[in-house]
């Protein structure tokens, strides 16, 4: 019986971790709009560390959501941050012309899979 409960918890746990943060620039510089969909990151760590862009001189609005909006031009699925085993999906909305660079970064640096919806 314990094995069945453990198996059920393993099957249910990933959706419990699912959350997203929509990140949008609020300054007058080049617009940025992206969303990070949590995969395996503990919720508090995701919200307090992964959803906090650190770009000097830039200002952002961060909105926590259940999931990312569906109008992305590209998604890096299963992205990893260097030195960390956690995964997330990163949705890009701002500049479709950036897709080739973001795709290369996704696949070669983040270890993710590029998807164009």
């Amino acid at each position: 019986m314990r094995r069945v409960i453990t198996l059920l918890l393993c099957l249910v746990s990933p959706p419990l971790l699912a959350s997203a943060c929509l990140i949008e620039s609020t300054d007058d510089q080049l617009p940025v709009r992206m969303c990070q969909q949590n995969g395996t990151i503990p919720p508090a760590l995701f919200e307090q560390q992964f959803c906090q862009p650190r770009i000097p001189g830039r200002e952002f609005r961060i909105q926590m959501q259940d999931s990312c909006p569906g109008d992305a031009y590209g998604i890096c699925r299963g992205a990893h941050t260097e030195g960390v085993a956690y995964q997330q999906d990163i949705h890009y909305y701002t500049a479709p012309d950036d897709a080739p660079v973001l795709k290369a970064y996704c696949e070669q640096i983040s270890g993710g899979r590029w998807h164009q919806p």
Side-chain angles (χ1 to χ4, degrees), residues 15-96:
L16 293 177
L17 294 178
S19 63
C21 55
L22 180 62
I23 300 167
E24 299 174 292
S25 59
T26 58
D27 54 32
D28 293 330
Q29 297 183 43
L30 185 66
V32 172
R33 184 171 187 251
M34 62 181 284
C35 185
Q36 297 170 208
Q37 180 77 42
N38 191 1
T40 62
I41 306 166
L45 181 64
F46 179 71
E47 187 172 341
Q48 295 168 11
Q49 296 293 318
F50 283 78
C51 292
Q52 301 300 319
R54 293 176 192 93
I55 303 174
R58 297 296 314 257
E59 296 176 22
F60 298 93
R61 176 180 50 241
I62 297 143
Q63 298 174 352
M64 298 306 295
Q65 305 182 164
D66 290 334
S67 61
C68 290
D71 58 339
Y73 67 82
I75 303 168
C76 182
R77 297 200 185 277
H80 293 81
T81 301
E82 186 177 345
V84 180
Y86 300 129
Q87 292 184 344
Q88 62 181 330
D89 295 344
I90 304 172
H91 299 237
Y92 297 98
Y93 304 94
T94 308

